[in-house]
Amino acid sequence: MRFVAISDTHGKHNFELPEGDVLLHAGDVSSRGLKTEIQRFLDWFAGLDYTYKIFIAGNHDFFFEEASADDIQAMIPPELIYLNDSGVEIAGIHIWGSPIQPWFYDWAFNRQRGPAIQKHWDLIPANSDIVITHGPVFGIHDRTVSGLPVGCEGLLPVIQRIKPKVHLCGHIHEAYGSRQVGETLYLNASILDVRYTIANPPIVFDVDAIT
């Protein structure tokens, strides 16, 4: 099964997407998290030609943190899958998604490092094949333009223990890239660069369906 991964589009949708079966978006679908921005993203995302379209929110996407679950669900078209500390199984492939990241100014889905954020990571099932978090693990795809590693120290050992086939993130635009570490392919699929310009192509990877 072919997956196409993107992240941090921030309302900019004028880029090419390759063919695939599943489209994954790792958050920051909007710029300011306004309901109108979210609606534009949902209309665009729903219209794309993929069998499955899965997304999480990011630190810019305030609507998804502030609105009620009923209001959010009422907006999401039935052909889209929204994950928020939750998972879905597709063709035997288990996918888990969370918008949470270590505290980052006063943006959405912030949690303090330590127990406050760890309780979210403890929810990740041991059988996860693909884990999507908005922020990176510590030390992989997490260096800012100044060279500072800002990934989550608590998330790294969880991913190392679970050993998913893929860990997908975004958040740190300048840390875009792909890196295989042990059994896990770590991806930062930020489409925009640090100047919020479309600069990076979607990342394509394959995971065998389990029948």
PDB file of all heavy atoms in Angstrom, residues 24 52-56 73 80-99 120 123-133:
ATOM      1  N   LEU A  24      -1.530  11.087   4.202  1.00  0.00           N
ATOM      2  CA  LEU A  24      -1.385  11.401   5.621  1.00  0.00           C
ATOM      3  C   LEU A  24      -0.950  12.859   5.775  1.00  0.00           C
ATOM      4  O   LEU A  24      -0.032  13.303   5.087  1.00  0.00           O
ATOM      5  CB  LEU A  24      -0.327  10.500   6.278  1.00  0.00           C
ATOM      6  CG  LEU A  24      -0.506   8.989   6.159  1.00  0.00           C
ATOM      7  CD1 LEU A  24       0.697   8.285   6.776  1.00  0.00           C
ATOM      8  CD2 LEU A  24      -1.801   8.547   6.834  1.00  0.00           C
ATOM      9  N   TYR A  52      -7.868   6.630   1.052  1.00  0.00           N
ATOM     10  CA  TYR A  52      -7.974   7.042   2.458  1.00  0.00           C
ATOM     11  C   TYR A  52      -7.238   8.364   2.645  1.00  0.00           C
ATOM     12  O   TYR A  52      -6.145   8.552   2.100  1.00  0.00           O
ATOM     13  CB  TYR A  52      -7.361   5.986   3.386  1.00  0.00           C
ATOM     14  CG  TYR A  52      -7.983   4.620   3.262  1.00  0.00           C
ATOM     15  CD1 TYR A  52      -7.368   3.622   2.509  1.00  0.00           C
ATOM     16  CD2 TYR A  52      -9.190   4.316   3.893  1.00  0.00           C
ATOM     17  CE1 TYR A  52      -7.928   2.358   2.390  1.00  0.00           C
ATOM     18  CE2 TYR A  52      -9.762   3.055   3.774  1.00  0.00           C
ATOM     19  CZ  TYR A  52      -9.126   2.083   3.019  1.00  0.00           C
ATOM     20  OH  TYR A  52      -9.682   0.833   2.910  1.00  0.00           O
ATOM     21  N   LYS A  53      -7.848   9.242   3.427  1.00  0.00           N
ATOM     22  CA  LYS A  53      -7.239  10.542   3.723  1.00  0.00           C
ATOM     23  C   LYS A  53      -7.316  10.763   5.226  1.00  0.00           C
ATOM     24  O   LYS A  53      -8.407  10.867   5.796  1.00  0.00           O
ATOM     25  CB  LYS A  53      -7.960  11.653   2.954  1.00  0.00           C
ATOM     26  CG  LYS A  53      -7.689  11.599   1.450  1.00  0.00           C
ATOM     27  CD  LYS A  53      -8.692  12.380   0.644  1.00  0.00           C
ATOM     28  CE  LYS A  53      -9.968  11.609   0.440  1.00  0.00           C
ATOM     29  NZ  LYS A  53     -10.843  12.217  -0.612  1.00  0.00           N
ATOM     30  N   ILE A  54      -6.134  10.801   5.869  1.00  0.00           N
ATOM     31  CA  ILE A  54      -6.041  10.813   7.322  1.00  0.00           C
ATOM     32  C   ILE A  54      -5.250  12.042   7.755  1.00  0.00           C
ATOM     33  O   ILE A  54      -4.220  12.359   7.150  1.00  0.00           O
ATOM     34  CB  ILE A  54      -5.334   9.532   7.823  1.00  0.00           C
ATOM     35  CG1 ILE A  54      -6.105   8.288   7.352  1.00  0.00           C
ATOM     36  CG2 ILE A  54      -5.184   9.535   9.339  1.00  0.00           C
ATOM     37  CD1 ILE A  54      -5.351   6.986   7.568  1.00  0.00           C
ATOM     38  N   PHE A  55      -5.712  12.724   8.806  1.00  0.00           N
ATOM     39  CA  PHE A  55      -4.971  13.891   9.276  1.00  0.00           C
ATOM     40  C   PHE A  55      -5.078  14.037  10.780  1.00  0.00           C
ATOM     41  O   PHE A  55      -5.986  13.502  11.421  1.00  0.00           O
ATOM     42  CB  PHE A  55      -5.462  15.170   8.580  1.00  0.00           C
ATOM     43  CG  PHE A  55      -6.793  15.681   9.055  1.00  0.00           C
ATOM     44  CD1 PHE A  55      -6.866  16.731   9.957  1.00  0.00           C
ATOM     45  CD2 PHE A  55      -7.976  15.120   8.589  1.00  0.00           C
ATOM     46  CE1 PHE A  55      -8.090  17.217  10.396  1.00  0.00           C
ATOM     47  CE2 PHE A  55      -9.202  15.600   9.012  1.00  0.00           C
ATOM     48  CZ  PHE A  55      -9.270  16.650   9.920  1.00  0.00           C
ATOM     49  N   ILE A  56      -4.098  14.767  11.331  1.00  0.00           N
ATOM     50  CA  ILE A  56      -4.146  15.206  12.721  1.00  0.00           C
ATOM     51  C   ILE A  56      -4.051  16.735  12.724  1.00  0.00           C
ATOM     52  O   ILE A  56      -3.764  17.349  11.694  1.00  0.00           O
ATOM     53  CB  ILE A  56      -3.008  14.594  13.569  1.00  0.00           C
ATOM     54  CG1 ILE A  56      -1.633  15.105  13.096  1.00  0.00           C
ATOM     55  CG2 ILE A  56      -3.062  13.073  13.546  1.00  0.00           C
ATOM     56  CD1 ILE A  56      -0.490  14.727  14.015  1.00  0.00           C
ATOM     57  N   GLN A  73     -16.740  17.042  14.658  1.00  0.00           N
ATOM     58  CA  GLN A  73     -17.216  15.917  13.856  1.00  0.00           C
ATOM     59  C   GLN A  73     -18.214  16.362  12.808  1.00  0.00           C
ATOM     60  O   GLN A  73     -18.252  15.822  11.693  1.00  0.00           O
ATOM     61  CB  GLN A  73     -17.844  14.854  14.771  1.00  0.00           C
ATOM     62  CG  GLN A  73     -17.953  13.480  14.126  1.00  0.00           C
ATOM     63  CD  GLN A  73     -16.621  12.942  13.630  1.00  0.00           C
ATOM     64  OE1 GLN A  73     -15.626  12.962  14.353  1.00  0.00           O
ATOM     65  NE2 GLN A  73     -16.586  12.465  12.402  1.00  0.00           N
ATOM     66  N   LEU A  80     -13.061  11.617   5.223  1.00  0.00           N
ATOM     67  CA  LEU A  80     -11.824  11.942   5.926  1.00  0.00           C
ATOM     68  C   LEU A  80     -11.767  11.237   7.281  1.00  0.00           C
ATOM     69  O   LEU A  80     -12.800  10.997   7.912  1.00  0.00           O
ATOM     70  CB  LEU A  80     -11.698  13.449   6.142  1.00  0.00           C
ATOM     71  CG  LEU A  80     -11.710  14.338   4.908  1.00  0.00           C
ATOM     72  CD1 LEU A  80     -11.438  15.789   5.301  1.00  0.00           C
ATOM     73  CD2 LEU A  80     -10.709  13.862   3.876  1.00  0.00           C
ATOM     74  N   ILE A  81     -10.550  10.955   7.727  1.00  0.00           N
ATOM     75  CA  ILE A  81     -10.322  10.351   9.041  1.00  0.00           C
ATOM     76  C   ILE A  81      -9.474  11.314   9.857  1.00  0.00           C
ATOM     77  O   ILE A  81      -8.349  11.637   9.469  1.00  0.00           O
ATOM     78  CB  ILE A  81      -9.621   8.984   8.920  1.00  0.00           C
ATOM     79  CG1 ILE A  81     -10.488   8.018   8.117  1.00  0.00           C
ATOM     80  CG2 ILE A  81      -9.305   8.405  10.303  1.00  0.00           C
ATOM     81  CD1 ILE A  81      -9.773   6.722   7.743  1.00  0.00           C
ATOM     82  N   TYR A  82     -10.032  11.777  10.978  1.00  0.00           N
ATOM     83  CA  TYR A  82      -9.345  12.703  11.872  1.00  0.00           C
ATOM     84  C   TYR A  82      -8.928  11.945  13.127  1.00  0.00           C
ATOM     85  O   TYR A  82      -9.757  11.315  13.798  1.00  0.00           O
ATOM     86  CB  TYR A  82     -10.272  13.859  12.235  1.00  0.00           C
ATOM     87  CG  TYR A  82      -9.777  14.741  13.357  1.00  0.00           C
ATOM     88  CD1 TYR A  82      -8.563  15.411  13.268  1.00  0.00           C
ATOM     89  CD2 TYR A  82     -10.541  14.908  14.514  1.00  0.00           C
ATOM     90  CE1 TYR A  82      -8.124  16.236  14.301  1.00  0.00           C
ATOM     91  CE2 TYR A  82     -10.119  15.733  15.539  1.00  0.00           C
ATOM     92  CZ  TYR A  82      -8.908  16.387  15.429  1.00  0.00           C
ATOM     93  OH  TYR A  82      -8.473  17.190  16.457  1.00  0.00           O
ATOM     94  N   LEU A  83      -7.633  12.007  13.453  1.00  0.00           N
ATOM     95  CA  LEU A  83      -7.118  11.302  14.620  1.00  0.00           C
ATOM     96  C   LEU A  83      -6.675  12.311  15.678  1.00  0.00           C
ATOM     97  O   LEU A  83      -5.984  13.280  15.369  1.00  0.00           O
ATOM     98  CB  LEU A  83      -5.934  10.410  14.229  1.00  0.00           C
ATOM     99  CG  LEU A  83      -6.218   9.322  13.197  1.00  0.00           C
ATOM    100  CD1 LEU A  83      -4.945   8.506  12.919  1.00  0.00           C
ATOM    101  CD2 LEU A  83      -7.350   8.396  13.653  1.00  0.00           C
ATOM    102  N   ASN A  84      -7.082  12.048  16.908  1.00  0.00           N
ATOM    103  CA  ASN A  84      -6.705  12.898  18.044  1.00  0.00           C
ATOM    104  C   ASN A  84      -6.513  11.978  19.247  1.00  0.00           C
ATOM    105  O   ASN A  84      -7.468  11.634  19.947  1.00  0.00           O
ATOM    106  CB  ASN A  84      -7.781  13.942  18.315  1.00  0.00           C
ATOM    107  CG  ASN A  84      -7.423  14.868  19.462  1.00  0.00           C
ATOM    108  OD1 ASN A  84      -6.377  14.733  20.084  1.00  0.00           O
ATOM    109  ND2 ASN A  84      -8.303  15.802  19.772  1.00  0.00           N
ATOM    110  N   ASP A  85      -5.259  11.564  19.464  1.00  0.00           N
ATOM    111  CA  ASP A  85      -4.983  10.513  20.456  1.00  0.00           C
ATOM    112  C   ASP A  85      -5.890   9.319  20.190  1.00  0.00           C
ATOM    113  O   ASP A  85      -6.534   8.774  21.095  1.00  0.00           O
ATOM    114  CB  ASP A  85      -5.168  11.031  21.879  1.00  0.00           C
ATOM    115  CG  ASP A  85      -3.966  11.819  22.371  1.00  0.00           C
ATOM    116  OD1 ASP A  85      -2.869  11.662  21.795  1.00  0.00           O
ATOM    117  OD2 ASP A  85      -4.107  12.574  23.353  1.00  0.00           O
ATOM    118  N   SER A  86      -5.925   8.924  18.933  1.00  0.00           N
ATOM    119  CA  SER A  86      -6.788   7.821  18.510  1.00  0.00           C
ATOM    120  C   SER A  86      -6.171   7.136  17.304  1.00  0.00           C
ATOM    121  O   SER A  86      -5.172   7.610  16.738  1.00  0.00           O
ATOM    122  CB  SER A  86      -8.198   8.343  18.180  1.00  0.00           C
ATOM    123  OG  SER A  86      -8.148   9.322  17.168  1.00  0.00           O
ATOM    124  N   GLY A  87      -6.770   6.020  16.911  1.00  0.00           N
ATOM    125  CA  GLY A  87      -6.191   5.243  15.826  1.00  0.00           C
ATOM    126  C   GLY A  87      -7.225   4.707  14.865  1.00  0.00           C
ATOM    127  O   GLY A  87      -8.434   4.786  15.100  1.00  0.00           O
ATOM    128  N   VAL A  88      -6.718   4.162  13.780  1.00  0.00           N
ATOM    129  CA  VAL A  88      -7.561   3.543  12.773  1.00  0.00           C
ATOM    130  C   VAL A  88      -6.784   2.379  12.150  1.00  0.00           C
ATOM    131  O   VAL A  88      -5.555   2.417  12.099  1.00  0.00           O
ATOM    132  CB  VAL A  88      -7.981   4.575  11.684  1.00  0.00           C
ATOM    133  CG1 VAL A  88      -6.767   5.061  10.901  1.00  0.00           C
ATOM    134  CG2 VAL A  88      -9.024   3.994  10.753  1.00  0.00           C
ATOM    135  N   GLU A  89      -7.502   1.369  11.721  1.00  0.00           N
ATOM    136  CA  GLU A  89      -6.885   0.231  11.043  1.00  0.00           C
ATOM    137  C   GLU A  89      -7.324   0.220   9.584  1.00  0.00           C
ATOM    138  O   GLU A  89      -8.522   0.276   9.293  1.00  0.00           O
ATOM    139  CB  GLU A  89      -7.278  -1.089  11.718  1.00  0.00           C
ATOM    140  CG  GLU A  89      -6.658  -2.312  11.065  1.00  0.00           C
ATOM    141  CD  GLU A  89      -7.101  -3.606  11.714  1.00  0.00           C
ATOM    142  OE1 GLU A  89      -7.648  -3.561  12.845  1.00  0.00           O
ATOM    143  OE2 GLU A  89      -6.932  -4.669  11.078  1.00  0.00           O
ATOM    144  N   ILE A  90      -6.358   0.157   8.687  1.00  0.00           N
ATOM    145  CA  ILE A  90      -6.623   0.122   7.254  1.00  0.00           C
ATOM    146  C   ILE A  90      -5.860  -1.040   6.655  1.00  0.00           C
ATOM    147  O   ILE A  90      -4.634  -1.096   6.745  1.00  0.00           O
ATOM    148  CB  ILE A  90      -6.189   1.444   6.587  1.00  0.00           C
ATOM    149  CG1 ILE A  90      -7.060   2.600   7.066  1.00  0.00           C
ATOM    150  CG2 ILE A  90      -6.249   1.331   5.073  1.00  0.00           C
ATOM    151  CD1 ILE A  90      -6.604   3.941   6.579  1.00  0.00           C
ATOM    152  N   ALA A  91      -6.571  -1.979   6.049  1.00  0.00           N
ATOM    153  CA  ALA A  91      -5.945  -3.143   5.416  1.00  0.00           C
ATOM    154  C   ALA A  91      -4.967  -3.829   6.368  1.00  0.00           C
ATOM    155  O   ALA A  91      -3.897  -4.266   5.970  1.00  0.00           O
ATOM    156  CB  ALA A  91      -5.249  -2.740   4.122  1.00  0.00           C
ATOM    157  N   GLY A  92      -5.353  -3.899   7.632  1.00  0.00           N
ATOM    158  CA  GLY A  92      -4.520  -4.547   8.627  1.00  0.00           C
ATOM    159  C   GLY A  92      -3.382  -3.699   9.152  1.00  0.00           C
ATOM    160  O   GLY A  92      -2.619  -4.148  10.008  1.00  0.00           O
ATOM    161  N   ILE A  93      -3.249  -2.476   8.664  1.00  0.00           N
ATOM    162  CA  ILE A  93      -2.189  -1.559   9.100  1.00  0.00           C
ATOM    163  C   ILE A  93      -2.756  -0.644  10.178  1.00  0.00           C
ATOM    164  O   ILE A  93      -3.759   0.048   9.955  1.00  0.00           O
ATOM    165  CB  ILE A  93      -1.657  -0.733   7.919  1.00  0.00           C
ATOM    166  CG1 ILE A  93      -1.105  -1.650   6.837  1.00  0.00           C
ATOM    167  CG2 ILE A  93      -0.591   0.259   8.383  1.00  0.00           C
ATOM    168  CD1 ILE A  93      -0.811  -0.948   5.515  1.00  0.00           C
ATOM    169  N   HIS A  94      -2.130  -0.633  11.342  1.00  0.00           N
ATOM    170  CA  HIS A  94      -2.609   0.155  12.475  1.00  0.00           C
ATOM    171  C   HIS A  94      -1.921   1.521  12.499  1.00  0.00           C
ATOM    172  O   HIS A  94      -0.692   1.604  12.550  1.00  0.00           O
ATOM    173  CB  HIS A  94      -2.347  -0.586  13.784  1.00  0.00           C
ATOM    174  CG  HIS A  94      -3.123  -1.859  13.914  1.00  0.00           C
ATOM    175  ND1 HIS A  94      -2.655  -3.056  13.433  1.00  0.00           N
ATOM    176  CD2 HIS A  94      -4.350  -2.116  14.453  1.00  0.00           C
ATOM    177  CE1 HIS A  94      -3.542  -4.014  13.680  1.00  0.00           C
ATOM    178  NE2 HIS A  94      -4.585  -3.461  14.290  1.00  0.00           N
ATOM    179  N   ILE A  95      -2.736   2.578  12.451  1.00  0.00           N
ATOM    180  CA  ILE A  95      -2.228   3.955  12.388  1.00  0.00           C
ATOM    181  C   ILE A  95      -2.737   4.721  13.605  1.00  0.00           C
ATOM    182  O   ILE A  95      -3.933   4.700  13.905  1.00  0.00           O
ATOM    183  CB  ILE A  95      -2.694   4.648  11.096  1.00  0.00           C
ATOM    184  CG1 ILE A  95      -2.254   3.832   9.867  1.00  0.00           C
ATOM    185  CG2 ILE A  95      -2.149   6.076  11.013  1.00  0.00           C
ATOM    186  CD1 ILE A  95      -2.884   4.292   8.569  1.00  0.00           C
ATOM    187  N   TRP A  96      -1.830   5.385  14.304  1.00  0.00           N
ATOM    188  CA  TRP A  96      -2.177   6.168  15.494  1.00  0.00           C
ATOM    189  C   TRP A  96      -1.756   7.617  15.277  1.00  0.00           C
ATOM    190  O   TRP A  96      -0.698   7.875  14.690  1.00  0.00           O
ATOM    191  CB  TRP A  96      -1.462   5.618  16.716  1.00  0.00           C
ATOM    192  CG  TRP A  96      -1.843   6.311  18.006  1.00  0.00           C
ATOM    193  CD1 TRP A  96      -1.192   7.339  18.620  1.00  0.00           C
ATOM    194  CD2 TRP A  96      -2.965   6.008  18.835  1.00  0.00           C
ATOM    195  NE1 TRP A  96      -1.840   7.703  19.774  1.00  0.00           N
ATOM    196  CE2 TRP A  96      -2.942   6.910  19.932  1.00  0.00           C
ATOM    197  CE3 TRP A  96      -4.007   5.074  18.753  1.00  0.00           C
ATOM    198  CZ2 TRP A  96      -3.892   6.893  20.944  1.00  0.00           C
ATOM    199  CZ3 TRP A  96      -4.963   5.061  19.755  1.00  0.00           C
ATOM    200  CH2 TRP A  96      -4.902   5.958  20.837  1.00  0.00           C
ATOM    201  N   GLY A  97      -2.579   8.552  15.727  1.00  0.00           N
ATOM    202  CA  GLY A  97      -2.245   9.950  15.542  1.00  0.00           C
ATOM    203  C   GLY A  97      -2.484  10.797  16.777  1.00  0.00           C
ATOM    204  O   GLY A  97      -3.462  10.584  17.507  1.00  0.00           O
ATOM    205  N   SER A  98      -1.583  11.764  17.028  1.00  0.00           N
ATOM    206  CA  SER A  98      -1.728  12.683  18.146  1.00  0.00           C
ATOM    207  C   SER A  98      -1.195  14.063  17.761  1.00  0.00           C
ATOM    208  O   SER A  98      -0.117  14.168  17.181  1.00  0.00           O
ATOM    209  CB  SER A  98      -0.961  12.179  19.373  1.00  0.00           C
ATOM    210  OG  SER A  98      -1.011  13.130  20.426  1.00  0.00           O
ATOM    211  N   PRO A  99      -1.928  15.135  18.129  1.00  0.00           N
ATOM    212  CA  PRO A  99      -1.486  16.491  17.806  1.00  0.00           C
ATOM    213  C   PRO A  99      -0.530  17.080  18.845  1.00  0.00           C
ATOM    214  O   PRO A  99      -0.027  18.197  18.659  1.00  0.00           O
ATOM    215  CB  PRO A  99      -2.795  17.281  17.813  1.00  0.00           C
ATOM    216  CG  PRO A  99      -3.598  16.609  18.889  1.00  0.00           C
ATOM    217  CD  PRO A  99      -3.253  15.142  18.780  1.00  0.00           C
ATOM    218  N   HIS A 120       0.000  11.185  27.194  1.00  0.00           N
ATOM    219  CA  HIS A 120      -0.460  11.057  25.802  1.00  0.00           C
ATOM    220  C   HIS A 120       0.322   9.960  25.081  1.00  0.00           C
ATOM    221  O   HIS A 120      -0.251   9.162  24.332  1.00  0.00           O
ATOM    222  CB  HIS A 120      -0.302  12.386  25.071  1.00  0.00           C
ATOM    223  CG  HIS A 120      -1.202  13.460  25.589  1.00  0.00           C
ATOM    224  ND1 HIS A 120      -2.509  13.609  25.182  1.00  0.00           N
ATOM    225  CD2 HIS A 120      -0.976  14.434  26.508  1.00  0.00           C
ATOM    226  CE1 HIS A 120      -3.055  14.633  25.809  1.00  0.00           C
ATOM    227  NE2 HIS A 120      -2.142  15.152  26.622  1.00  0.00           N
ATOM    228  N   LEU A 123      -0.655   6.324  25.622  1.00  0.00           N
ATOM    229  CA  LEU A 123      -1.849   5.833  24.922  1.00  0.00           C
ATOM    230  C   LEU A 123      -1.518   5.119  23.618  1.00  0.00           C
ATOM    231  O   LEU A 123      -2.365   4.389  23.082  1.00  0.00           O
ATOM    232  CB  LEU A 123      -2.792   7.000  24.610  1.00  0.00           C
ATOM    233  CG  LEU A 123      -3.389   7.764  25.794  1.00  0.00           C
ATOM    234  CD1 LEU A 123      -4.145   8.988  25.293  1.00  0.00           C
ATOM    235  CD2 LEU A 123      -4.305   6.862  26.609  1.00  0.00           C
ATOM    236  N   ILE A 124      -0.316   5.318  23.091  1.00  0.00           N
ATOM    237  CA  ILE A 124       0.031   4.748  21.786  1.00  0.00           C
ATOM    238  C   ILE A 124       0.077   3.231  21.883  1.00  0.00           C
ATOM    239  O   ILE A 124       0.854   2.674  22.662  1.00  0.00           O
ATOM    240  CB  ILE A 124       1.379   5.290  21.287  1.00  0.00           C
ATOM    241  CG1 ILE A 124       1.359   6.823  21.222  1.00  0.00           C
ATOM    242  CG2 ILE A 124       1.720   4.706  19.917  1.00  0.00           C
ATOM    243  CD1 ILE A 124       2.703   7.441  20.886  1.00  0.00           C
ATOM    244  N   PRO A 125      -0.735   2.514  21.104  1.00  0.00           N
ATOM    245  CA  PRO A 125      -0.774   1.050  21.205  1.00  0.00           C
ATOM    246  C   PRO A 125       0.536   0.404  20.757  1.00  0.00           C
ATOM    247  O   PRO A 125       1.214   0.905  19.852  1.00  0.00           O
ATOM    248  CB  PRO A 125      -1.921   0.656  20.270  1.00  0.00           C
ATOM    249  CG  PRO A 125      -2.736   1.897  20.099  1.00  0.00           C
ATOM    250  CD  PRO A 125      -1.760   3.033  20.180  1.00  0.00           C
ATOM    251  N   ALA A 126       0.844  -0.706  21.379  1.00  0.00           N
ATOM    252  CA  ALA A 126       2.088  -1.407  21.070  1.00  0.00           C
ATOM    253  C   ALA A 126       2.093  -2.000  19.672  1.00  0.00           C
ATOM    254  O   ALA A 126       3.168  -2.308  19.133  1.00  0.00           O
ATOM    255  CB  ALA A 126       2.335  -2.502  22.101  1.00  0.00           C
ATOM    256  N   ASN A 127       0.907  -2.179  19.080  1.00  0.00           N
ATOM    257  CA  ASN A 127       0.840  -2.787  17.743  1.00  0.00           C
ATOM    258  C   ASN A 127       0.782  -1.752  16.626  1.00  0.00           C
ATOM    259  O   ASN A 127       0.453  -2.078  15.477  1.00  0.00           O
ATOM    260  CB  ASN A 127      -0.360  -3.731  17.641  1.00  0.00           C
ATOM    261  CG  ASN A 127      -1.695  -2.987  17.724  1.00  0.00           C
ATOM    262  OD1 ASN A 127      -1.752  -1.837  18.145  1.00  0.00           O
ATOM    263  ND2 ASN A 127      -2.770  -3.663  17.338  1.00  0.00           N
ATOM    264  N   SER A 128       1.104  -0.499  16.935  1.00  0.00           N
ATOM    265  CA  SER A 128       1.035   0.562  15.914  1.00  0.00           C
ATOM    266  C   SER A 128       2.075   0.336  14.815  1.00  0.00           C
ATOM    267  O   SER A 128       3.254   0.129  15.107  1.00  0.00           O
ATOM    268  CB  SER A 128       1.267   1.929  16.562  1.00  0.00           C
ATOM    269  OG  SER A 128       0.276   2.214  17.526  1.00  0.00           O
ATOM    270  N   ASP A 129       1.625   0.379  13.575  1.00  0.00           N
ATOM    271  CA  ASP A 129       2.527   0.270  12.423  1.00  0.00           C
ATOM    272  C   ASP A 129       3.012   1.642  11.964  1.00  0.00           C
ATOM    273  O   ASP A 129       4.148   1.793  11.510  1.00  0.00           O
ATOM    274  CB  ASP A 129       1.815  -0.428  11.262  1.00  0.00           C
ATOM    275  CG  ASP A 129       1.399  -1.843  11.603  1.00  0.00           C
ATOM    276  OD1 ASP A 129       2.286  -2.655  11.897  1.00  0.00           O
ATOM    277  OD2 ASP A 129       0.182  -2.120  11.590  1.00  0.00           O
ATOM    278  N   ILE A 130       2.136   2.640  12.058  1.00  0.00           N
ATOM    279  CA  ILE A 130       2.468   4.019  11.700  1.00  0.00           C
ATOM    280  C   ILE A 130       2.013   4.918  12.845  1.00  0.00           C
ATOM    281  O   ILE A 130       0.845   4.860  13.255  1.00  0.00           O
ATOM    282  CB  ILE A 130       1.790   4.451  10.391  1.00  0.00           C
ATOM    283  CG1 ILE A 130       2.248   3.567   9.229  1.00  0.00           C
ATOM    284  CG2 ILE A 130       2.081   5.916  10.082  1.00  0.00           C
ATOM    285  CD1 ILE A 130       1.486   3.816   7.930  1.00  0.00           C
ATOM    286  N   VAL A 131       2.924   5.715  13.370  1.00  0.00           N
ATOM    287  CA  VAL A 131       2.587   6.683  14.412  1.00  0.00           C
ATOM    288  C   VAL A 131       2.778   8.083  13.831  1.00  0.00           C
ATOM    289  O   VAL A 131       3.850   8.400  13.300  1.00  0.00           O
ATOM    290  CB  VAL A 131       3.459   6.501  15.666  1.00  0.00           C
ATOM    291  CG1 VAL A 131       3.154   7.590  16.692  1.00  0.00           C
ATOM    292  CG2 VAL A 131       3.237   5.119  16.280  1.00  0.00           C
ATOM    293  N   ILE A 132       1.739   8.895  13.936  1.00  0.00           N
ATOM    294  CA  ILE A 132       1.786  10.277  13.461  1.00  0.00           C
ATOM    295  C   ILE A 132       1.677  11.192  14.666  1.00  0.00           C
ATOM    296  O   ILE A 132       0.691  11.144  15.408  1.00  0.00           O
ATOM    297  CB  ILE A 132       0.628  10.584  12.492  1.00  0.00           C
ATOM    298  CG1 ILE A 132       0.510   9.525  11.402  1.00  0.00           C
ATOM    299  CG2 ILE A 132       0.801  11.964  11.868  1.00  0.00           C
ATOM    300  CD1 ILE A 132      -0.771   9.630  10.588  1.00  0.00           C
ATOM    301  N   THR A 133       2.685  12.004  14.892  1.00  0.00           N
ATOM    302  CA  THR A 133       2.611  13.048  15.911  1.00  0.00           C
ATOM    303  C   THR A 133       3.024  14.352  15.248  1.00  0.00           C
ATOM    304  O   THR A 133       3.863  14.349  14.352  1.00  0.00           O
ATOM    305  CB  THR A 133       3.532  12.755  17.109  1.00  0.00           C
ATOM    306  OG1 THR A 133       4.892  12.665  16.672  1.00  0.00           O
ATOM    307  CG2 THR A 133       3.129  11.455  17.797  1.00  0.00           C
TER     308      THR A 133
END
